[in-house]
Coordinates of all heavy atoms in Angstrom, one line a residue:
G153 N -22.3 -39.3 -59.1 CA -21.2 -39.6 -58.3 C -21.5 -40.6 -57.2 O -22.7 -40.8 -56.9
R154 N -20.5 -41.2 -56.7 CA -20.7 -42.2 -55.7 C -19.5 -42.1 -54.7 O -18.3 -42.0 -55.0 CB -20.6 -43.6 -56.4 CG -20.9 -44.7 -55.5 CD -21.3 -46.0 -56.3 NE -20.1 -46.7 -56.7 CZ -20.2 -48.0 -57.1 NH1 -21.3 -48.6 -57.2 NH2 -19.1 -48.6 -57.5
V155 N -19.9 -42.1 -53.4 CA -18.9 -42.1 -52.3 C -19.2 -43.2 -51.3 O -20.4 -43.4 -51.0 CB -18.9 -40.7 -51.6 CG1 -18.0 -40.7 -50.4 CG2 -18.6 -39.6 -52.5
G156 N -18.2 -43.8 -50.8 CA -18.5 -44.9 -49.9 C -17.4 -45.3 -48.9 O -16.3 -44.7 -48.9
I157 N -17.7 -46.3 -48.1 CA -16.7 -46.8 -47.2 C -16.6 -48.3 -47.4 O -17.6 -49.0 -47.5 CB -17.2 -46.6 -45.7 CG1 -17.3 -45.1 -45.4 CG2 -16.3 -47.3 -44.7 CD1 -18.0 -44.8 -44.1
A158 N -15.3 -48.8 -47.6 CA -15.0 -50.2 -47.8 C -14.8 -50.9 -46.5 O -14.1 -50.4 -45.6 CB -13.8 -50.3 -48.7
Q159 N -15.4 -52.1 -46.4 CA -15.3 -52.9 -45.2 C -14.9 -54.3 -45.8 O -15.7 -55.1 -46.2 CB -16.6 -53.1 -44.4 CG -17.1 -51.8 -43.8 CD -16.4 -51.5 -42.5 OE1 -16.0 -52.4 -41.8 NE2 -16.1 -50.2 -42.3
G160 N -13.6 -54.6 -45.9 CA -13.1 -55.8 -46.5 C -13.4 -55.8 -48.0 O -13.0 -54.9 -48.7
Q161 N -14.2 -56.8 -48.4 CA -14.5 -56.9 -49.8 C -15.9 -56.2 -50.1 O -16.4 -56.4 -51.2 CB -14.6 -58.4 -50.2 CG -13.4 -59.2 -50.0 CD -12.2 -58.7 -50.9 OE1 -12.5 -58.5 -52.1 NE2 -11.0 -58.7 -50.4
T162 N -16.4 -55.5 -49.2 CA -17.7 -54.9 -49.4 C -17.6 -53.4 -49.3 O -16.9 -52.8 -48.5 CB -18.7 -55.4 -48.3 OG1 -18.8 -56.8 -48.3 CG2 -20.1 -54.8 -48.5
L163 N -18.3 -52.7 -50.3 CA -18.4 -51.2 -50.3 C -19.8 -50.8 -50.0 O -20.7 -51.2 -50.7 CB -18.0 -50.7 -51.7 CG -18.1 -49.3 -52.0 CD1 -17.1 -48.5 -51.1 CD2 -17.9 -49.0 -53.5
F164 N -20.0 -50.0 -49.0 CA -21.2 -49.3 -48.7 C -21.1 -47.9 -49.2 O -20.2 -47.2 -48.9 CB -21.5 -49.3 -47.2 CG -21.5 -50.7 -46.6 CD1 -20.4 -51.3 -46.1 CD2 -22.7 -51.4 -46.5 CE1 -20.4 -52.5 -45.5 CE2 -22.7 -52.6 -45.9 CZ -21.6 -53.2 -45.4
F165 N -22.1 -47.5 -50.0 CA -22.0 -46.2 -50.7 C -23.3 -45.4 -50.8 O -24.4 -45.9 -50.7 CB -21.4 -46.4 -52.1 CG -22.3 -47.2 -53.1 CD1 -23.3 -46.6 -53.8 CD2 -22.2 -48.5 -53.2 CE1 -24.1 -47.3 -54.7 CE2 -23.0 -49.3 -54.1 CZ -24.0 -48.6 -54.8
G166 N -23.1 -44.1 -51.0 CA -24.2 -43.2 -51.2 C -23.9 -42.6 -52.6 O -22.8 -42.5 -53.1
T167 N -25.0 -42.3 -53.3 CA -24.8 -41.7 -54.7 C -25.8 -40.6 -54.9 O -26.8 -40.5 -54.2 CB -25.1 -42.9 -55.7 OG1 -24.8 -42.4 -57.0 CG2 -26.5 -43.4 -55.6
A168 N -25.4 -39.6 -55.7 CA -26.3 -38.5 -56.1 C -25.8 -38.0 -57.4 O -24.7 -38.1 -57.8 CB -26.1 -37.4 -55.0
G169 N -26.8 -37.4 -58.1 CA -26.4 -36.8 -59.4 C -27.6 -36.2 -60.2 O -28.7 -36.1 -59.7
F170 N -27.3 -35.8 -61.4 CA -28.3 -35.2 -62.4 C -29.1 -36.3 -63.0 O -28.5 -37.4 -63.4 CB -27.5 -34.4 -63.4 CG -28.3 -33.8 -64.5 CD1 -29.1 -32.7 -64.2 CD2 -28.3 -34.3 -65.8 CE1 -29.8 -32.1 -65.2 CE2 -29.0 -33.8 -66.8 CZ -29.8 -32.7 -66.5
A171 N -30.4 -36.1 -63.3 CA -31.2 -37.1 -64.0 C -31.9 -36.4 -65.1 O -32.3 -35.3 -65.1 CB -32.3 -37.6 -63.0
L172 N -32.0 -37.2 -66.2 CA -32.7 -36.7 -67.5 C -33.5 -37.8 -68.0 O -33.1 -39.0 -68.0 CB -31.6 -36.3 -68.5 CG -32.1 -35.8 -69.8 CD1 -32.8 -34.4 -69.6 CD2 -30.9 -35.6 -70.8
G173 N -34.8 -37.5 -68.4 CA -35.6 -38.5 -68.9 C -36.8 -38.0 -69.8 O -37.0 -36.8 -69.8
G174 N -37.4 -38.8 -70.5 CA -38.6 -38.5 -71.3 C -39.8 -38.8 -70.5 O -39.9 -39.9 -69.9
V175 N -40.8 -37.9 -70.4 CA -41.9 -38.1 -69.5 C -43.2 -38.1 -70.4 O -43.5 -37.1 -71.1 CB -42.1 -37.0 -68.5 CG1 -43.4 -37.2 -67.7 CG2 -40.9 -36.9 -67.6
A176 N -43.9 -39.2 -70.4 CA -45.1 -39.4 -71.2 C -46.3 -39.3 -70.1 O -46.2 -40.0 -69.1 CB -45.2 -40.7 -71.9
A177 N -47.2 -38.4 -70.4 CA -48.3 -38.2 -69.4 C -49.6 -38.2 -70.2 O -49.7 -37.7 -71.3 CB -48.1 -36.9 -68.7
T178 N -50.7 -38.6 -69.5 CA -52.0 -38.6 -70.1 C -53.0 -38.2 -69.0 O -52.9 -38.5 -67.9 CB -52.4 -40.1 -70.5 OG1 -51.5 -40.6 -71.5 CG2 -53.8 -40.1 -71.2
I179 N -54.0 -37.3 -69.5 CA -55.0 -36.9 -68.6 C -56.4 -37.2 -69.3 O -56.5 -36.9 -70.5 CB -54.9 -35.5 -68.2 CG1 -56.0 -35.1 -67.1 CG2 -55.0 -34.5 -69.3 CD1 -55.8 -33.8 -66.4
D180 N -57.2 -37.9 -68.6 CA -58.5 -38.3 -69.2 C -59.6 -37.4 -68.7 O -59.9 -37.4 -67.5 CB -58.8 -39.7 -68.8 CG -60.0 -40.3 -69.6 OD1 -60.5 -39.6 -70.4 OD2 -60.4 -41.4 -69.3
G181 N -60.2 -36.5 -69.5 CA -61.3 -35.6 -69.1 C -62.6 -36.2 -69.5 O -62.7 -37.3 -70.0
E182 N -63.7 -35.5 -69.1 CA -65.0 -36.0 -69.4 C -65.3 -36.1 -70.9 O -65.9 -37.0 -71.4 CB -66.0 -35.1 -68.8 CG -66.1 -35.2 -67.3 CD -67.1 -34.3 -66.7 OE1 -68.1 -33.9 -67.4 OE2 -67.0 -33.9 -65.5
T183 N -64.7 -35.2 -71.7 CA -65.0 -35.2 -73.1 C -63.7 -35.4 -74.0 O -63.8 -35.3 -75.2 CB -65.7 -33.9 -73.6 OG1 -64.9 -32.8 -73.2 CG2 -67.1 -33.8 -72.9
Y184 N -62.6 -35.5 -73.4 CA -61.4 -35.6 -74.2 C -60.3 -36.4 -73.5 O -60.3 -36.6 -72.3 CB -60.8 -34.2 -74.5 CG -60.5 -33.4 -73.2 CD1 -59.2 -33.5 -72.6 CD2 -61.4 -32.5 -72.6 CE1 -58.9 -32.8 -71.5 CE2 -61.1 -31.8 -71.5 CZ -59.8 -32.0 -70.9 OH -59.5 -31.3 -69.8
L185 N -59.3 -36.8 -74.2 CA -58.1 -37.5 -73.7 C -57.0 -36.7 -74.2 O -56.8 -36.4 -75.4 CB -58.0 -38.9 -74.3 CG -56.8 -39.7 -73.9 CD1 -56.9 -40.0 -72.4 CD2 -56.7 -41.0 -74.6
Q186 N -56.1 -36.2 -73.3 CA -55.0 -35.4 -73.6 C -53.7 -36.1 -73.2 O -53.7 -36.7 -72.1 CB -55.1 -34.0 -72.9 CG -54.2 -33.0 -73.3 CD -54.5 -31.7 -72.7 OE1 -55.4 -31.5 -72.0 NE2 -53.6 -30.7 -72.9
E187 N -52.7 -36.0 -74.0 CA -51.4 -36.7 -73.7 C -50.3 -35.9 -74.4 O -50.5 -35.1 -75.3 CB -51.5 -38.1 -74.2 CG -51.7 -38.3 -75.6 CD -52.0 -39.8 -76.0 OE1 -51.8 -40.7 -75.1 OE2 -52.3 -40.1 -77.1
G188 N -49.1 -36.2 -73.9 CA -47.9 -35.6 -74.4 C -46.7 -36.2 -73.9 O -46.7 -37.0 -73.0
V189 N -45.5 -35.9 -74.6 CA -44.2 -36.4 -74.2 C -43.3 -35.2 -74.1 O -43.2 -34.4 -75.1 CB -43.7 -37.5 -75.2 CG1 -42.3 -37.9 -74.8 CG2 -44.6 -38.7 -75.3
Q190 N -42.6 -35.1 -73.0 CA -41.7 -33.9 -72.8 C -40.4 -34.5 -72.2 O -40.4 -35.5 -71.5 CB -42.3 -32.9 -71.8 CG -43.5 -32.3 -72.3 CD -43.4 -31.2 -73.3 OE1 -42.2 -30.7 -73.6 NE2 -44.4 -30.8 -74.0
A191 N -39.3 -33.7 -72.5 CA -38.0 -34.0 -71.8 C -38.0 -33.4 -70.5 O -38.6 -32.3 -70.4 CB -36.8 -33.5 -72.7
A192 N -37.5 -34.0 -69.5 CA -37.5 -33.4 -68.1 C -36.1 -33.7 -67.5 O -35.5 -34.7 -67.8 CB -38.6 -34.1 -67.3
S193 N -35.7 -32.8 -66.6 CA -34.5 -33.0 -65.9 C -34.7 -32.8 -64.4 O -35.6 -32.1 -64.0 CB -33.4 -32.0 -66.4 OG -33.8 -30.7 -66.2
G194 N -33.8 -33.3 -63.6 CA -34.0 -33.2 -62.2 C -32.8 -33.8 -61.5 O -31.6 -33.7 -62.0
W195 N -33.0 -34.5 -60.4 CA -31.9 -35.1 -59.6 C -32.2 -36.5 -59.1 O -33.4 -36.9 -59.1 CB -31.6 -34.2 -58.4 CG -32.9 -33.9 -57.5 CD1 -33.8 -32.9 -57.7 CD2 -33.3 -34.7 -56.4 NE1 -34.8 -33.0 -56.8 CE2 -34.5 -34.1 -56.0 CE3 -32.8 -35.8 -55.7 CZ2 -35.2 -34.5 -54.9 CZ3 -33.6 -36.2 -54.7 CH2 -34.7 -35.6 -54.2
T196 N -31.2 -37.2 -58.7 CA -31.3 -38.5 -58.1 C -30.4 -38.7 -57.0 O -29.3 -38.1 -56.9 CB -31.1 -39.6 -59.2 OG1 -31.5 -40.9 -58.7 CG2 -29.7 -39.6 -59.7
T197 N -30.8 -39.5 -56.0 CA -30.0 -39.8 -54.9 C -30.3 -41.2 -54.4 O -31.4 -41.7 -54.6 CB -30.2 -38.8 -53.7 OG1 -29.2 -39.0 -52.7 CG2 -31.6 -38.8 -53.1
G198 N -29.4 -41.8 -53.7 CA -29.6 -43.2 -53.2 C -28.5 -43.7 -52.4 O -27.5 -43.0 -52.0
F199 N -28.6 -45.0 -52.1 CA -27.5 -45.7 -51.4 C -27.5 -47.2 -51.9 O -28.4 -47.7 -52.5 CB -27.8 -45.7 -49.9 CG -29.1 -46.4 -49.5 CD1 -29.1 -47.7 -49.1 CD2 -30.3 -45.6 -49.5 CE1 -30.3 -48.3 -48.8 CE2 -31.5 -46.2 -49.1 CZ -31.5 -47.6 -48.8
G200 N -26.4 -47.9 -51.5 CA -26.2 -49.2 -52.0 C -25.1 -50.0 -51.4 O -24.3 -49.4 -50.6
V201 N -24.9 -51.2 -51.8 CA -23.8 -52.1 -51.3 C -23.3 -52.8 -52.5 O -24.0 -53.3 -53.4 CB -24.4 -53.1 -50.3 CG1 -23.3 -54.1 -49.9 CG2 -25.0 -52.4 -49.1
E202 N -22.0 -52.9 -52.6 CA -21.3 -53.7 -53.7 C -20.3 -54.6 -53.0 O -19.5 -54.2 -52.2 CB -20.6 -52.8 -54.7 CG -20.0 -53.5 -55.8 CD -19.6 -52.6 -57.0 OE1 -19.9 -51.4 -56.9 OE2 -19.1 -53.1 -58.0
H203 N -20.3 -55.9 -53.4 CA -19.5 -56.9 -52.8 C -18.6 -57.5 -53.9 O -19.1 -58.0 -54.9 CB -20.3 -58.0 -52.1 CG -19.4 -59.0 -51.4 ND1 -18.7 -58.7 -50.2 CD2 -19.1 -60.2 -51.7 CE1 -18.0 -59.8 -49.9 NE2 -18.3 -60.7 -50.8
K204 N -17.3 -57.5 -53.7 CA -16.4 -58.1 -54.6 C -16.4 -59.7 -54.5 O -16.1 -60.2 -53.4 CB -15.0 -57.6 -54.4 CG -13.9 -58.1 -55.3 CD -12.6 -57.4 -55.0 CE -11.5 -58.0 -56.0 NZ -10.2 -57.4 -55.7
L205 N -16.8 -60.3 -55.5 CA -16.8 -61.8 -55.5 C -15.5 -62.4 -55.9 O -15.1 -63.5 -55.4 CB -17.9 -62.3 -56.4 CG -19.4 -61.8 -56.1 CD1 -20.3 -62.2 -57.2 CD2 -19.8 -62.3 -54.7
S206 N -14.8 -61.8 -56.9 CA -13.5 -62.3 -57.3 C -12.8 -61.0 -57.9 O -13.3 -59.9 -57.9 CB -13.6 -63.4 -58.4 OG -14.2 -62.9 -59.5
D207 N -11.6 -61.3 -58.5 CA -10.8 -60.1 -59.1 C -11.6 -59.3 -60.2 O -11.4 -58.2 -60.3 CB -9.5 -60.6 -59.7 CG -8.4 -60.7 -58.6 OD1 -8.7 -60.2 -57.5 OD2 -7.4 -61.4 -58.8
G208 N -12.4 -60.0 -61.0 CA -13.1 -59.2 -62.0 C -14.6 -59.3 -61.9 O -15.3 -58.9 -62.8
L209 N -15.1 -59.6 -60.7 CA -16.6 -59.8 -60.6 C -17.1 -59.2 -59.2 O -16.5 -59.5 -58.2 CB -16.9 -61.3 -60.6 CG -18.3 -61.8 -60.8 CD1 -19.0 -61.3 -62.1 CD2 -18.4 -63.3 -60.7
S210 N -18.2 -58.4 -59.3 CA -18.8 -57.9 -58.1 C -20.3 -57.9 -58.2 O -20.8 -57.9 -59.3 CB -18.3 -56.5 -57.8 OG -18.7 -55.6 -58.7
L211 N -21.0 -58.0 -57.1 CA -22.4 -58.0 -57.1 C -22.9 -56.7 -56.4 O -22.3 -56.3 -55.3 CB -22.9 -59.2 -56.3 CG -24.4 -59.4 -56.1 CD1 -25.1 -59.7 -57.4 CD2 -24.7 -60.6 -55.2
K212 N -23.9 -56.0 -57.0 CA -24.3 -54.7 -56.4 C -25.8 -54.7 -56.3 O -26.6 -55.2 -57.1 CB -23.8 -53.6 -57.4 CG -24.2 -52.2 -57.0 CD -23.6 -51.2 -57.9 CE -24.3 -51.1 -59.2 NZ -23.9 -49.9 -60.0
G213 N -26.2 -54.0 -55.2 CA -27.6 -53.7 -55.0 C -27.8 -52.2 -54.6 O -26.9 -51.7 -53.8
E214 N -28.8 -51.5 -55.1 CA -28.9 -50.1 -54.7 C -30.4 -49.7 -54.8 O -31.2 -50.3 -55.5 CB -28.0 -49.2 -55.5 CG -28.4 -49.1 -57.0 CD -27.4 -48.3 -57.8 OE1 -26.8 -47.3 -57.2 OE2 -27.2 -48.5 -59.0
V215 N -30.7 -48.6 -54.1 CA -32.0 -48.0 -54.1 C -31.8 -46.6 -54.5 O -31.0 -45.9 -53.9 CB -32.7 -48.1 -52.7 CG1 -34.0 -47.3 -52.7 CG2 -32.9 -49.5 -52.2
L216 N -32.5 -46.1 -55.5 CA -32.4 -44.8 -56.0 C -33.8 -44.1 -56.0 O -34.8 -44.6 -56.4 CB -31.9 -44.7 -57.5 CG -30.5 -45.3 -57.7 CD1 -30.2 -45.3 -59.2 CD2 -29.5 -44.3 -57.1
Y217 N -33.8 -42.8 -55.6 CA -35.0 -42.0 -55.7 C -34.7 -40.9 -56.7 O -33.6 -40.2 -56.6 CB -35.3 -41.3 -54.3 CG -36.4 -40.3 -54.4 CD1 -37.7 -40.8 -54.4 CD2 -36.2 -39.0 -54.5 CE1 -38.8 -39.9 -54.5 CE2 -37.2 -38.1 -54.6 CZ -38.5 -38.6 -54.6 OH -39.6 -37.7 -54.7
T218 N -35.6 -40.7 -57.7 CA -35.4 -39.7 -58.7 C -36.6 -38.8 -58.8 O -37.7 -39.2 -58.7 CB -35.2 -40.4 -60.1 OG1 -34.1 -41.4 -60.0 CG2 -35.0 -39.5 -61.2
D219 N -36.3 -37.5 -58.9 CA -37.3 -36.5 -59.0 C -37.0 -35.6 -60.3 O -36.0 -35.0 -60.3 CB -37.3 -35.6 -57.8 CG -38.5 -34.6 -57.7 OD1 -39.0 -34.3 -58.8 OD2 -38.8 -34.2 -56.6
L220 N -37.9 -35.7 -61.2 CA -37.8 -35.0 -62.5 C -38.6 -33.7 -62.5 O -38.8 -33.1 -63.5 CB -38.2 -35.9 -63.7 CG -37.3 -37.1 -63.9 CD1 -37.7 -37.9 -65.1 CD2 -35.8 -36.6 -64.1
G221 N -39.2 -33.4 -61.3 CA -39.9 -32.1 -61.2 C -41.3 -32.1 -61.9 O -41.9 -33.1 -62.1
R222 N -41.7 -30.9 -62.1 CA -43.1 -30.6 -62.7 C -42.9 -30.3 -64.2 O -42.1 -29.4 -64.5 CB -43.8 -29.5 -62.0 CG -45.1 -29.1 -62.6 CD -45.8 -28.2 -61.8 NE -46.5 -29.0 -60.8 CZ -47.6 -28.6 -60.1 NH1 -48.1 -27.4 -60.3 NH2 -48.2 -29.4 -59.3
T223 N -43.6 -31.0 -65.1 CA -43.5 -30.8 -66.5 C -44.8 -30.2 -67.0 O -45.9 -30.7 -66.7 CB -43.2 -32.1 -67.2 OG1 -42.0 -32.7 -66.7 CG2 -43.1 -31.9 -68.7
R224 N -44.7 -29.1 -67.8 CA -45.9 -28.5 -68.4 C -46.2 -29.0 -69.7 O -45.3 -29.1 -70.6 CB -45.6 -27.0 -68.5 CG -46.6 -26.2 -69.3 CD -47.7 -25.6 -68.4 NE -48.5 -24.7 -69.2 CZ -49.8 -24.9 -69.4 NH1 -50.4 -25.9 -68.7 NH2 -50.6 -24.1 -70.1
Y225 N -47.5 -29.4 -69.9 CA -47.9 -29.8 -71.3 C -48.9 -28.7 -71.8 O -49.8 -28.4 -71.1 CB -48.7 -31.2 -71.2 CG -47.7 -32.3 -70.8 CD1 -47.4 -32.5 -69.5 CD2 -47.1 -33.0 -71.7 CE1 -46.5 -33.5 -69.1 CE2 -46.2 -34.0 -71.4 CZ -45.9 -34.2 -70.1 OH -45.0 -35.2 -69.7
D226 N -48.5 -28.1 -72.9 CA -49.2 -26.9 -73.4 C -50.7 -27.2 -73.8 O -51.0 -28.3 -74.2 CB -48.5 -26.4 -74.6 CG -47.2 -25.8 -74.2 OD1 -47.0 -25.3 -73.1 OD2 -46.2 -25.9 -75.1
E227 N -51.5 -26.2 -73.6 CA -52.9 -26.4 -74.0 C -53.0 -26.4 -75.5 O -52.2 -25.8 -76.2 CB -53.8 -25.3 -73.4 CG -53.5 -23.9 -73.8 CD -54.4 -22.9 -73.1 OE1 -54.2 -22.7 -71.9 OE2 -55.2 -22.3 -73.8
R228 N -54.1 -27.0 -75.9 CA -54.4 -27.1 -77.3 C -55.6 -26.1 -77.6 O -56.2 -25.6 -76.6 CB -54.8 -28.5 -77.8 CG -53.6 -29.4 -77.5 CD -54.0 -30.8 -77.9 NE -52.9 -31.7 -77.5 CZ -53.0 -33.0 -77.4 NH1 -54.1 -33.6 -77.5 NH2 -51.9 -33.7 -77.0
S229 N -56.0 -25.9 -78.8 CA -57.0 -24.9 -79.0 C -58.4 -25.3 -78.3 O -59.1 -24.4 -78.0 CB -57.3 -24.8 -80.5 OG -57.6 -26.0 -81.1
Y230 N -58.6 -26.5 -78.1 CA -59.9 -26.9 -77.5 C -59.7 -27.6 -76.2 O -60.7 -28.1 -75.6 CB -60.7 -27.9 -78.5 CG -59.9 -29.1 -78.9 CD1 -59.9 -30.3 -78.3 CD2 -59.0 -29.0 -80.0 CE1 -59.2 -31.3 -78.7 CE2 -58.2 -30.0 -80.4 CZ -58.3 -31.2 -79.7 OH -57.6 -32.3 -80.1
E231 N -58.5 -27.7 -75.6 CA -58.3 -28.4 -74.4 C -57.3 -27.6 -73.5 O -56.4 -27.0 -74.0 CB -57.6 -29.8 -74.6 CG -58.4 -30.7 -75.4 CD -57.6 -31.9 -75.9 OE1 -56.4 -31.8 -75.9 OE2 -58.2 -32.9 -76.3
P232 N -57.5 -27.5 -72.2 CA -56.6 -26.8 -71.3 C -55.3 -27.6 -71.2 O -55.3 -28.8 -71.4 CB -57.3 -26.8 -70.0 CG -58.3 -28.0 -70.0 CD -58.7 -28.1 -71.5
G233 N -54.2 -26.9 -70.9 CA -52.9 -27.6 -70.6 C -53.0 -28.2 -69.2 O -53.9 -28.1 -68.5
F234 N -51.9 -29.0 -68.9 CA -51.8 -29.6 -67.6 C -50.4 -29.8 -67.2 O -49.5 -29.7 -68.1 CB -52.6 -31.0 -67.6 CG -52.0 -32.0 -68.5 CD1 -51.2 -33.0 -68.0 CD2 -52.3 -32.1 -69.8 CE1 -50.6 -34.0 -68.7 CE2 -51.8 -33.1 -70.6 CZ -50.9 -34.1 -70.1
Y235 N -50.2 -30.1 -66.0 CA -48.8 -30.4 -65.4 C -48.8 -31.8 -65.0 O -49.8 -32.4 -64.6 CB -48.5 -29.5 -64.2 CG -48.4 -28.0 -64.5 CD1 -49.5 -27.2 -64.5 CD2 -47.1 -27.5 -64.9 CE1 -49.3 -25.8 -64.8 CE2 -47.0 -26.2 -65.2 CZ -48.1 -25.4 -65.1 OH -47.9 -24.0 -65.4
A236 N -47.6 -32.4 -65.0 CA -47.3 -33.7 -64.5 C -46.1 -33.7 -63.5 O -45.1 -33.2 -63.9 CB -47.1 -34.7 -65.6
D237 N -46.3 -34.1 -62.3 CA -45.2 -34.2 -61.3 C -44.6 -35.6 -61.4 O -45.4 -36.6 -61.3 CB -45.7 -34.0 -59.9 CG -46.1 -32.5 -59.7 OD1 -45.4 -31.6 -60.2 OD2 -47.2 -32.3 -59.1
V238 N -43.3 -35.7 -61.6 CA -42.7 -37.0 -61.8 C -41.6 -37.3 -60.8 O -40.6 -36.6 -60.7 CB -42.1 -37.1 -63.2 CG1 -41.4 -38.5 -63.4 CG2 -43.1 -36.9 -64.3
A239 N -41.8 -38.3 -60.0 CA -40.8 -38.8 -59.0 C -41.0 -40.3 -58.8 O -42.2 -40.8 -58.9 CB -41.0 -38.1 -57.7
F240 N -39.9 -41.0 -58.7 CA -40.1 -42.5 -58.6 C -38.9 -43.1 -57.8 O -37.8 -42.4 -57.7 CB -40.2 -43.1 -59.9 CG -39.1 -42.8 -60.9 CD1 -38.0 -43.5 -61.1 CD2 -39.3 -41.7 -61.7 CE1 -37.0 -43.2 -62.0 CE2 -38.3 -41.3 -62.7 CZ -37.2 -42.1 -62.8
T241 N -39.0 -44.3 -57.3 CA -38.0 -45.0 -56.7 C -37.7 -46.3 -57.4 O -38.6 -46.9 -57.9 CB -38.4 -45.4 -55.2 OG1 -38.7 -44.2 -54.5 CG2 -37.3 -46.1 -54.5
Q242 N -36.4 -46.6 -57.6 CA -35.9 -47.8 -58.2 C -35.1 -48.7 -57.3 O -34.4 -48.1 -56.4 CB -35.0 -47.5 -59.4 CG -35.5 -46.6 -60.5 CD -34.4 -46.3 -61.4 OE1 -33.9 -47.1 -62.2 NE2 -34.0 -45.0 -61.5
V243 N -35.3 -50.0 -57.4 CA -34.4 -50.9 -56.7 C -33.7 -51.7 -57.8 O -34.3 -52.3 -58.6 CB -35.2 -51.9 -55.8 CG1 -34.3 -52.9 -55.1 CG2 -36.0 -51.1 -54.7
R244 N -32.4 -51.6 -57.7 CA -31.6 -52.2 -58.8 C -30.6 -53.2 -58.2 O -30.0 -53.0 -57.2 CB -30.8 -51.1 -59.6 CG -31.8 -50.1 -60.1 CD -31.2 -49.1 -61.0 NE -29.8 -48.7 -60.9 CZ -29.2 -47.9 -61.7 NH1 -29.8 -47.4 -62.7 NH2 -27.9 -47.6 -61.5
L245 N -30.4 -54.3 -58.9 CA -29.5 -55.4 -58.6 C -28.6 -55.5 -59.9 O -29.1 -55.5 -61.0 CB -30.1 -56.7 -58.3 CG -31.0 -56.7 -57.1 CD1 -31.7 -58.1 -57.0 CD2 -30.2 -56.5 -55.8
G246 N -27.3 -55.7 -59.6 CA -26.4 -55.8 -60.8 C -25.2 -56.8 -60.5 O -24.8 -57.0 -59.4
L247 N -24.7 -57.3 -61.6 CA -23.5 -58.1 -61.6 C -22.5 -57.4 -62.5 O -22.7 -57.2 -63.7 CB -23.8 -59.5 -62.1 CG -22.7 -60.5 -62.0 CD1 -22.4 -60.8 -60.6 CD2 -23.2 -61.8 -62.7
N248 N -21.4 -56.9 -61.9 CA -20.4 -56.1 -62.6 C -19.2 -57.0 -63.0 O -18.7 -57.7 -62.2 CB -19.9 -55.0 -61.8 CG -21.0 -54.0 -61.5 OD1 -21.9 -53.7 -62.3 ND2 -21.0 -53.5 -60.2
F249 N -18.8 -56.9 -64.3 CA -17.6 -57.6 -64.8 C -16.5 -56.6 -65.0 O -16.7 -55.6 -65.7 CB -17.9 -58.3 -66.1 CG -18.9 -59.4 -66.0 CD1 -20.2 -59.2 -66.3 CD2 -18.5 -60.7 -65.5 CE1 -21.1 -60.2 -66.2 CE2 -19.4 -61.7 -65.4 CZ -20.7 -61.4 -65.7
G250 N -15.3 -56.8 -64.4 CA -14.1 -55.9 -64.7 C -13.2 -56.5 -65.6 O -13.1 -57.7 -65.8
F251 N -12.4 -55.7 -66.3 CA -11.4 -56.2 -67.3 C -10.0 -56.0 -66.8 O -9.7 -55.1 -66.1 CB -11.6 -55.4 -68.6 CG -12.9 -55.6 -69.3 CD1 -13.9 -54.7 -69.1 CD2 -13.1 -56.7 -70.1 CE1 -15.2 -54.9 -69.7 CE2 -14.3 -56.9 -70.7 CZ -15.3 -56.0 -70.5

């Protein structure tokens, strides 16, 4: 979702929502290399600015922080399992076309 305040042709907004992603993780031990891919879910939040350039065109910039939590990778018969904590920040720029 996105909620904001318009100032003329510019929208200042905050955003928040559900996040879903695939998490690939690797741990390098002294005698082994362990890796895995798991689906993870979490949340995202951020803020941004969108400016209307013309009737069908706008320019947008936003910063998003996403946290997909802790993902468990199961142990194998000869290797211990491990956890991966996944959180990241994105800076996005966009050009939107309206119909």
